């Protein structure tokens, strides 16, 4: 399957990823590719009802990650309003795609040539942005910044005389000073989050990553945000429900952690979960950014592991080669030497064409190249047993899970498992033991 996938991928062009449908877009995209400094909007604004739901949801996610709303106070009672997205120059195609869909704004390559900005500042054009996010809400606390932005914009556009604008100027200043880095209130509306696969892809393309953890020897899926802990937990719940064919997914397979300086990270280290949930979710969608390369490379590494080819010297060499040019290392501004991608893919096709390095013998996985069985190092499950009947009340996969359920420390659980002493829980006499293998 992966051999066929990489052969198809080898023949796929980058333009196929940045899929655009507007008649004017092909010429404009070529101009951007040739480093023209400014890409102007098309002649007509796209009505909100003509935007596809898939685009709107993807765009919501991408703006939740990368978008910025600004109120700019000029001289006197003059205010300007600006919506922008600033990306690395390698992702200019994403902004071309957004411009082709919305039909408003401009794209400017910054003077240093390393970044590119999509900006909507024309007052009439901003009406589409305000209408879009008023109807289709953002999920992060940028929704709060948008509410202040939209309120100020609407006030400014409906009060046009000098006297009126003088009267509303203090209100606009107050709204401006409540946004972005000056925001102190981050309370979101209750039951606000609307998460689906298109939104998640857009959010991932802005603030997500696939990377290889050398400590754990596995591919990791991660999302990083400043704050937005409740949203990250909502994403976790969405992912846990994403594949109804998978039974009994342990909630702790997805970690949501608050780090220093208010950073929140959602991470998944389970290769099985990534392959059964994340990949089927993303395979049905179209990536717009360069992160599609990291996605495909991660799938390649997972395929190498699935066949046990990472035990081979050539497998290790390819994994090192792939990892060395992922994420920021693949940027055109990176000083890391990049291998020839066509050669890399051809080498992958050759490697993945080999038979599996695993063989199942008496229910155990045998590694042919090492001439030994694989050590699974599986954690021993723990059972909570009713003392009087001997019935299993609940089974836990880890000590921590059992400790949390019982409301005791991990050391207490360990001691109870070792001694099998009965204790009271929920008015019943129970005890703990290691799960009996079937």
């Amino acid at each position: 399957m992966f051999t066929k996938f990489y052969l198809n991928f080898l023949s796929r062009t980058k333009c196929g990823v940045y899929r655009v449908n507007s008649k004017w877009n092909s010429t404009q995209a070529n101009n951007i590719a040739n480093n023209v400094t400014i890409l102007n909007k098309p002649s007509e604004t796209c009505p909100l009802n003509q935007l596809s739901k898939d685009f709107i949801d993807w765009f919501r996610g991408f703006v939740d990650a990368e978008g910025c709303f600004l109120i700019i106070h000029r001289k006197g009672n003059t205010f300007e309003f600006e919506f922008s997205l600033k990306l690395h120059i390698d992702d200019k195609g994403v902004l071309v795609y957004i411009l082709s869909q919305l039909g408003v704004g401009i794209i400017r390559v910054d003077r240093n040539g390393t970044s590119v900005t999509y900006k909507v500042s024309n007052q009439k054009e901003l009406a589409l942005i305000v209408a879009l996010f008023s109807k289709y809400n953002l999920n992060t606390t940028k929704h709060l910044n948008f509410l202040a932005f939209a309120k100020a914009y609407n006030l400014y556009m409906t009060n046009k005389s000098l006297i009126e604008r003088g009267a509303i100027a203090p209100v606009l200043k107050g709204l401006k000073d409540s946004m972005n880095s000056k925001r102190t209130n981050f309370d979101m509306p209750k039951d606000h989050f609307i998460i689906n696969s298109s939104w998640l892809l857009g959010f991932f393309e802005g603030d997500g990553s696939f990377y290889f953890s050398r400590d754990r020897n596995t591919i990791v899926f991660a999302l990083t945000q400043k704050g937005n802990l409740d949203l990250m937990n909502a994403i976790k719940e969405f992912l846990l429900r994403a594949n109804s064919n998978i039974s009994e997914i342990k909630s702790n397979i997805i970690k949501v952690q608050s780090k220093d300086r208010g950073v929140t990270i959602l991470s998944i280290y389970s290769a099985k979960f990534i392959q059964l949930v994340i990949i089927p979710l993303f395979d049905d969608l179209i990536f717009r950014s360069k992160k599609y390369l990291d996605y495909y490379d991660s799938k390649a590494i997972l395929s190498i592991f699935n066949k046990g080819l990472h035990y081979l010297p050539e497998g290790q060499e390819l994994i090192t080669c792939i990892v060395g040019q992922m994420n920021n290392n693949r940027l055109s501004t990176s000083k890391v030497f990049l291998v020839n991608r066509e050669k890399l893919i051809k080498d992958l096709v050759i490697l993945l064409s080999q038979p599996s390095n695993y063989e199942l013998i008496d229910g155990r996985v045998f590694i042919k190249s090492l001439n030994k069985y694989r050590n699974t190092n599986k954690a021993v499950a723990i059972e909570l047993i009713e003392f009087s009947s001997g019935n299993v009340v609940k089974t836990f996969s880890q000590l921590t899970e059992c400790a949390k359920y019982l409301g005791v420390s991990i050391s207490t659980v360990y001691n109870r498992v070792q001694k099998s002493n009965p204790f009271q829980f929920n008015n019943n006499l129970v005890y703990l033991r290691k799960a009996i293998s079937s």
Side-chain angles (χ1 to χ4, degrees):
M1 180 180 71
F2 273 84
T3 300
K4 181 180 179 182
F5 164 77
Y6 274 101
L7 286 173
N8 291 336
F9 177 65
L10 187 59
S11 62
R12 190 175 179 184
T13 64
K14 201 167 186 179
C15 293
V17 175
Y18 305 131
R19 185 178 298 173
V20 288
N21 301 313
S22 301
K23 292 181 180 178
W24 62 272
N25 185 65
S26 59
T27 301
Q28 303 286 17
N30 287 334
N31 287 340
I32 278 289
N34 292 325
N35 292 320
V36 171
T37 302
I38 299 176
L39 174 60
N40 292 312
K41 61 186 179 296
S43 58
E44 294 184 3
T45 299
C46 176
L48 185 59
N49 60 8
Q50 289 186 15
L51 295 173
S52 73
K53 187 64 166 59
D54 285 343
F55 168 75
I56 290 172
D57 285 331
W58 175 89
F59 188 52
R60 282 195 310 120
F62 196 71
V63 171
D64 266 324
E66 299 289 354
C68 180
F69 299 94
L70 286 177
I71 300 173
I72 304 164
H73 185 198
R74 299 300 185 189
K75 291 183 179 180
N77 298 322
T78 301
F79 288 81
E80 294 178 2
F81 303 85
E82 180 181 298
F83 166 70
S84 64
L85 295 159
K86 186 174 183 178
L87 305 177
H88 190 276
I89 190 66
D90 293 352
D91 269 332
K92 58 192 174 186
V94 183
L95 302 184
V96 172
Y97 168 68
I98 291 170
L99 178 54
S100 76
Q101 298 298 306
L102 296 178
V104 298
I106 63 169
I107 295 173
R108 181 186 297 273
V109 177
D110 296 349
R111 289 184 178 181
N112 59 15
T114 60
S115 58
V116 58
T117 302
Y118 168 77
K119 182 168 69 174
V120 184
S121 56
N122 179 284
Q123 291 182 355
K124 291 182 179 179
E125 292 180 355
L126 279 167
L128 175 66
I129 302 298
V130 171
L132 195 158
F133 293 121
S134 295
K135 186 174 181 179
Y136 304 100
N137 294 165
L138 297 169
N139 281 331
T140 65
T141 51
K142 285 181 185 175
H143 171 67
L144 303 176
N145 290 330
F146 168 74
L147 291 179
F149 177 88
K151 183 176 181 179
Y153 170 81
N154 288 327
L155 273 173
Y156 196 73
M157 294 302 290
T158 54
N159 294 273
K160 297 186 178 181
S161 72
L162 293 177
I163 295 176
E164 290 173 329
R165 288 193 170 173
I168 64 170
V171 178
L172 300 184
K173 289 178 184 177
L175 290 168
K176 174 183 180 296
D177 291 339
S178 71
M179 293 171 59
N180 301 315
S181 62
K182 294 183 178 181
R183 174 165 295 284
T184 57
N185 179 7
F186 295 92
D187 295 335
M188 294 285 284
K190 188 177 180 181
D191 301 323
H192 173 76
F193 306 128
I194 300 176
I195 299 170
N196 54 39
S197 56
S198 293
W199 177 89
L200 183 62
L201 177 62
F203 191 59
F204 171 81
E205 292 202 78
D207 280 341
S209 65
F210 283 101
Y211 67 91
F212 186 76
S213 170
R214 295 194 181 277
D215 292 339
R216 303 198 186 189
N217 207 32
T218 188
I219 285 292
V220 182
F221 171 87
L223 297 168
T224 305
Q225 268 284 291
K226 183 71 178 290
N228 290 296
L229 177 62
D230 290 342
L231 172 61
M232 296 297 239
N233 281 315
I235 295 171
K236 173 180 176 176
E237 293 304 315
F238 170 78
L239 292 173
L240 289 172
R241 300 190 304 267
N243 191 335
S244 59
N245 295 321
I246 305 175
S247 60
E248 298 182 0
I249 297 176
K250 303 297 182 183
S251 62
N252 60 5
I253 208 166
I254 303 177
K255 305 290 185 184
V256 175
Q257 299 172 302
S258 295
K259 300 290 187 178
D260 294 340
R261 299 180 181 179
V263 173
T264 307
I265 299 176
L266 179 151
S267 53
I268 302 172
Y269 288 83
S270 168
K272 182 178 180 181
F273 188 89
I274 290 172
Q275 292 178 94
L276 292 177
V277 177
I278 303 297
I279 288 176
L281 205 65
F282 283 174
D283 269 353
D284 289 336
L285 303 171
I286 299 174
F287 278 73
R288 305 295 174 181
S289 73
K290 65 182 180 298
K291 286 186 181 175
Y292 80 98
L293 293 169
D294 296 319
Y295 175 60
Y296 290 148
D297 285 350
S298 298
K299 290 173 72 172
I301 292 174
L302 288 169
S303 185
I304 291 172
F305 272 81
N306 288 343
K307 299 183 76 173
L309 301 174
H310 59 293
Y311 292 108
L312 303 177
E314 58 268 37
Q316 282 291 332
E317 185 179 343
L318 268 177
I319 290 172
T320 300
C321 187
I322 293 170
V323 171
Q325 48 88 71
M326 288 178 67
N327 299 308
N328 288 342
N329 285 346
R330 74 167 78 253
L331 297 177
S332 60
T333 52
S334 171
K335 295 181 180 180
V336 175
F337 174 76
L338 293 183
V339 298
N340 182 291
R341 186 155 185 89
E342 286 196 9
K343 181 181 183 303
L344 174 63
I345 294 172
K346 288 177 179 177
D347 289 342
L348 279 167
V349 170
I350 293 171
L351 178 68
L352 295 173
S353 297
Q354 295 185 35
S356 176
N357 191 32
Y358 291 140
E359 183 178 349
L360 196 62
I361 301 176
D362 296 329
R364 298 180 64 191
V365 177
F366 186 76
I367 307 169
K368 293 186 285 187
S369 64
L370 301 182
N371 195 32
K372 70 177 185 179
Y373 287 99
R374 186 175 67 179
N375 183 10
T376 58
N377 289 324
K378 286 188 176 180
V380 177
I382 300 166
E383 293 176 337
L384 179 65
I385 308 297
E386 187 178 42
F387 186 80
S388 59
S389 66
N391 293 331
V392 177
V393 177
K394 192 172 179 64
T395 302
F396 309 92
S397 62
Q398 295 178 341
L399 287 172
T400 52
E401 182 186 359
C402 181
K404 185 176 180 180
Y405 180 79
L406 297 176
V408 298
S409 67
I410 295 175
S411 60
T412 298
V413 171
Y414 178 80
N415 288 331
R416 286 176 176 175
V417 170
Q418 296 300 314
K419 297 177 181 179
S420 295
N421 291 335
F423 60 94
Q424 288 287 334
F425 181 72
N426 288 347
N427 298 321
N428 287 321
L429 195 62
V430 295
Y431 66 94
L432 295 172
R433 73 180 182 195
K434 293 180 181 179
I436 299 173
S437 302
S438 55

